[in-house]
Structure formats: C-alpha cells, structure tokens
Amino acid sequence: MGQDKKVAFYTLGCKLNAYDTEWYREQFAGQGYLEVPFGEPADVTVVNTCTVTGGGDAQSRQALRRAHRISPEGTVVAVGCYAQTDPDALALMPEVDLVVGTAEKTQLLDLVNDTCSLGRTFVTRSRTAEFQDMDIYNFGGRARAFVKLQEGCNEFCSFCIIPFARGKSRSRTVDSTVSQVKRLVDAGYQEVVLTGVHIGDYGTDLDGYELLDVLEAVEVVDGLERFRVSSIEATFITDPMIDFMASSSKFCRHLHIPLQSGDDAILEVMRRPYRRDQYIELVEKLVDKMPDLGVGGDVMVGFPGETEAAFQNTYELIEQHPMVYLHVFPYSPRKGTPAAKMAGQVDPPEKKRRGAELRALGKRKVEAFQRRFLGQTLDVLFENRRADGLLQGLTGNYIRVLSPGSARDQVVAVRLDHIEGDRVIGELIPNPSMQMLV
Ligand code: SF4
C-alpha cells in the first residue's frame, strides 16, 4: 500500500506523544513508506498535536498549515490530544484531511489509506477504555527509550485538559511492559524511561498490581543498565517504593514530582490531592533515604487567585527544601476546565514576572546541586554530539554533562570537573574502579 510513498512526522508535547509517534513510524515503515524529515515534501504528513496549553494548540495549527504548504498534494493528518479535545476546530482547517482521536490512533494507517483513496476529510471522536499496547522496536535514534506503561488520568485537577484528551487511567500489563523493555534492550538501549500520564495510578485497572510491581520486574531485565520514571505524583510515592528505589542497582536517583504550587489555598482550588507540608515531608524523606537524589518538579505561576503572598509560599518552599531543578509553566486557561472560568485571572505581565523569578531560583538550585558533585565520578549516558563536538548527556541523578570523547549511547563513568554556563564539563574515565553512583 505504501510502496514508494513518503511520510513525514511532526511531534509536539510530551514523552507519550513521542512514544506514540515512534509507533506510527514503525507502522508506516512496515507498509513500505519511506520516512522523510518534516520540511520535505511527503505524500502523508502526520502531526501529533498537543493541547496542554494554549501555546500547544497554536503550535499544532502552525505545524498543520506548514505541512500543507510543504506538500499541497499530500494528505495532512492531525492526531494526538488536540485532535481528541477539539476535532471540529481542526476539521474546519482547509489544510487538514484527517483528524484522528485518542481511541482510533491504532487504526491510523488504515484511516490514512481510506482518506487517500476516498479523498475527503475524516474525523474520529470516540473514547477507549482499554490500554492500547503499541509495541515499538526502536526509539528513533535516541540514546534513551521511553516505555509507555500507563495512559489517561482520573484526577481532573481543575486546570488540566489531559483527562479530557487522553481519557481515563489505564495500564499496560506488567508482562507486556517487561517485554517492551526487553525489546529495547535487545535493540541496544541501556536506559529506558518509564512514562505515562499519571504513572503513580498504574495498576488501578489491573487486579492486584501497582507501580512497584513494574519497577521490581524491570529491575531484573538482563542487559538494562538503568531506568527512571518520567514523572510521578507526590501522593503515589509509597514507603515500599522508596525502599525499592534506595536499594535498587538500576533505578536512577532522579524523581520528577509535580508541585504546581506551594500554597495550600491554591492547591485546594487546583484540586491537587496534597498540601505543602505533605510535599515537603515527602521530599525531605526521599533525600534523607537517597542523599544524591535529584528531585525536580513542575510549578505553575499565575493560577487564578494566586496572590503575591501565595506566590511567595511557592518560592520559599522551593528555596528552603531540596528541589534541585524546576519546570516552570505560566497558567494557561483550557476550555472546558473549571479553572478557566474562575475569577482572579492573573495578568500576563505578572505571570511573566513570577515565572522569571522562579526560573532564576531554579537556575541557582541546579548550580548548587552540580557543585556538590564536582570531583566525583558518576555514570553518564551521552545522548548526542553538539555542534562544538562535545558529547552531551545526563547522569542518573539528572545532571547535564558535556565531555569530549566518543562514547555515545552508552552509560560510561565520567569525572565531573567544572561548571561552564548551565552545564558540567566532565572527563571520561577509561577504566572506572570505584563504585559509581547510579
Ligand atoms: S494528575 Fe492532574 S495535572 Fe496530572 S494529568 Fe492528571 S489531571 Fe492533569
């Protein structure tokens, strides 16, 4: 069907979208399509959209328009979260030929072939209750591979559109997750990142299983050097999980735990299931158990009703407790979420000011954490080579390291030497003797 046809992909958003696109890639290749980079003319262009912020919608529309400009005779496909939450808006775009929602994404190729043969716009809009096993065999030439083991979310935080886009929480079985990890290890991957929308909720739809079961099963996969979890909600990190992480020889000492706000009144209207003291207690306990742990988190500024005092509560929590990096997001109203209708919307310039203050704080925290490890030998997985010829990679505890050398795609020992800008310059250790930090 796809012989001599060209396909291009453009992916926005999160690790789950990156994983889904990997699966689409392999499906098209399996039908004989030749993949070309986005920007080159193609018979089919798939844009994997994002709607987590207003910016995600705008960038998705931009990519769809660009796809049509590049390939005016080609078929332009919108898939992903924006395609699920607002299919009609996308279907109204003259540039778009096919809109595929979350449920039908595993039939993407058939829908594309139908669209190509029938030559008219298709829109799908149903939901799915089951986890769709989308097995992959590679991860697009990257050094670290993502493994999606959970989809959807049942939490409905008041600012979040994701439950509407990805549906209810559902899990991949432990066996299927382990076989996916094995396939990637067989393909040469030394690190996998376990990912999902809300992986702490893993197993609630599987009788008697929880996230710890997967972590323990992945730990014993032969040939896997190390693994991490992409993000996990505070209230889903249990004591047995912490004990496992602290004793594991492969679990990376890195946790991304969304905070969103450090103010209890704001956490309440966000419908977040914890309060600032619980978050502080958790982070302190984690670092007490694993002193070299790199803890970071998402923080939102400018949520409706956030006063200067509430913002200062967030700032002080981060300043005074062992968070070592931040992902800072300005609140973005999402149609259909309760927060979008709330009073007390914060002015964009004020959001910008608060965001800048938090990013500056985050930068200081990153540097302080980097300084703690100068002179030490840590394991680094080098992911790419920069234009200046230096390899770039990550330690297990999420320190970004640059180094001369040729050890790409491998976990190697690196002595952290000095800081340049926001990166640590390291030196490859040919025959590491000492016990390295995971
Ligand atoms: S936990 Fe909250 S913020 Fe996270 S995906 Fe679910 S609804 Fe969104």
PDB file of all heavy atoms in Angstrom, residues 85 171 215 246 259 268 283 324 326:
ATOM      1  N   THR A  85      -9.576  16.636  21.793  1.00  0.00           N
ATOM      2  CA  THR A  85     -10.392  17.606  22.544  1.00  0.00           C
ATOM      3  C   THR A  85     -11.167  18.557  21.629  1.00  0.00           C
ATOM      4  O   THR A  85     -12.212  19.067  22.018  1.00  0.00           O
ATOM      5  CB  THR A  85      -9.513  18.450  23.486  1.00  0.00           C
ATOM      6  OG1 THR A  85      -8.492  19.083  22.722  1.00  0.00           O
ATOM      7  CG2 THR A  85      -8.891  17.600  24.577  1.00  0.00           C
ATOM      8  N   SER A 171      -3.781   0.856  32.310  1.00  0.00           N
ATOM      9  CA  SER A 171      -2.397   0.388  32.452  1.00  0.00           C
ATOM     10  C   SER A 171      -2.052  -0.733  31.478  1.00  0.00           C
ATOM     11  O   SER A 171      -2.915  -1.535  31.106  1.00  0.00           O
ATOM     12  CB  SER A 171      -2.193  -0.149  33.880  1.00  0.00           C
ATOM     13  OG  SER A 171      -2.694   0.765  34.830  1.00  0.00           O
ATOM     14  N   LEU A 215       8.331  -1.769  38.644  1.00  0.00           N
ATOM     15  CA  LEU A 215       9.703  -1.351  38.938  1.00  0.00           C
ATOM     16  C   LEU A 215      10.563  -2.573  39.288  1.00  0.00           C
ATOM     17  O   LEU A 215      11.684  -2.727  38.782  1.00  0.00           O
ATOM     18  CB  LEU A 215       9.712  -0.344  40.089  1.00  0.00           C
ATOM     19  CG  LEU A 215       8.923   0.951  39.905  1.00  0.00           C
ATOM     20  CD1 LEU A 215       9.062   1.856  41.132  1.00  0.00           C
ATOM     21  CD2 LEU A 215       9.350   1.692  38.647  1.00  0.00           C
ATOM     22  N   ALA A 246      15.774   3.153  46.885  1.00  0.00           N
ATOM     23  CA  ALA A 246      17.032   3.357  47.627  1.00  0.00           C
ATOM     24  C   ALA A 246      17.950   2.142  47.529  1.00  0.00           C
ATOM     25  O   ALA A 246      19.172   2.284  47.560  1.00  0.00           O
ATOM     26  CB  ALA A 246      16.716   3.667  49.087  1.00  0.00           C
ATOM     27  N   LEU A 259       4.813  19.789  41.659  1.00  0.00           N
ATOM     28  CA  LEU A 259       4.417  20.562  42.855  1.00  0.00           C
ATOM     29  C   LEU A 259       3.235  21.466  42.501  1.00  0.00           C
ATOM     30  O   LEU A 259       2.239  21.510  43.206  1.00  0.00           O
ATOM     31  CB  LEU A 259       5.601  21.423  43.338  1.00  0.00           C
ATOM     32  CG  LEU A 259       5.272  22.480  44.410  1.00  0.00           C
ATOM     33  CD1 LEU A 259       4.832  21.838  45.712  1.00  0.00           C
ATOM     34  CD2 LEU A 259       6.477  23.418  44.632  1.00  0.00           C
ATOM     35  N   GLU A 268      -5.719  23.734  46.951  1.00  0.00           N
ATOM     36  CA  GLU A 268      -7.106  23.276  47.123  1.00  0.00           C
ATOM     37  C   GLU A 268      -7.942  23.588  45.874  1.00  0.00           C
ATOM     38  O   GLU A 268      -8.605  22.702  45.336  1.00  0.00           O
ATOM     39  CB  GLU A 268      -7.726  23.927  48.357  1.00  0.00           C
ATOM     40  CG  GLU A 268      -9.092  23.352  48.663  1.00  0.00           C
ATOM     41  CD  GLU A 268      -9.653  23.832  49.996  1.00  0.00           C
ATOM     42  OE1 GLU A 268      -8.862  24.413  50.802  1.00  0.00           O
ATOM     43  OE2 GLU A 268     -10.865  23.627  50.204  1.00  0.00           O
ATOM     44  N   VAL A 283       9.588  15.113  50.132  1.00  0.00           N
ATOM     45  CA  VAL A 283      10.885  15.424  49.522  1.00  0.00           C
ATOM     46  C   VAL A 283      12.018  15.252  50.548  1.00  0.00           C
ATOM     47  O   VAL A 283      13.062  14.679  50.239  1.00  0.00           O
ATOM     48  CB  VAL A 283      10.860  16.857  48.944  1.00  0.00           C
ATOM     49  CG1 VAL A 283      12.236  17.287  48.508  1.00  0.00           C
ATOM     50  CG2 VAL A 283       9.894  16.933  47.780  1.00  0.00           C
ATOM     51  N   VAL A 324      15.956  20.355  43.161  1.00  0.00           N
ATOM     52  CA  VAL A 324      17.202  20.774  42.505  1.00  0.00           C
ATOM     53  C   VAL A 324      17.002  21.311  41.086  1.00  0.00           C
ATOM     54  O   VAL A 324      17.950  21.784  40.478  1.00  0.00           O
ATOM     55  CB  VAL A 324      18.226  19.620  42.485  1.00  0.00           C
ATOM     56  CG1 VAL A 324      18.544  19.152  43.889  1.00  0.00           C
ATOM     57  CG2 VAL A 324      17.793  18.495  41.569  1.00  0.00           C
ATOM     58  N   LEU A 326      13.576  22.960  38.263  1.00  0.00           N
ATOM     59  CA  LEU A 326      12.159  23.285  38.116  1.00  0.00           C
ATOM     60  C   LEU A 326      11.768  23.323  36.644  1.00  0.00           C
ATOM     61  O   LEU A 326      12.578  23.727  35.801  1.00  0.00           O
ATOM     62  CB  LEU A 326      11.863  24.676  38.692  1.00  0.00           C
ATOM     63  CG  LEU A 326      12.224  24.972  40.139  1.00  0.00           C
ATOM     64  CD1 LEU A 326      11.946  26.447  40.438  1.00  0.00           C
ATOM     65  CD2 LEU A 326      11.444  24.067  41.086  1.00  0.00           C
TER      66      LEU A 326
END
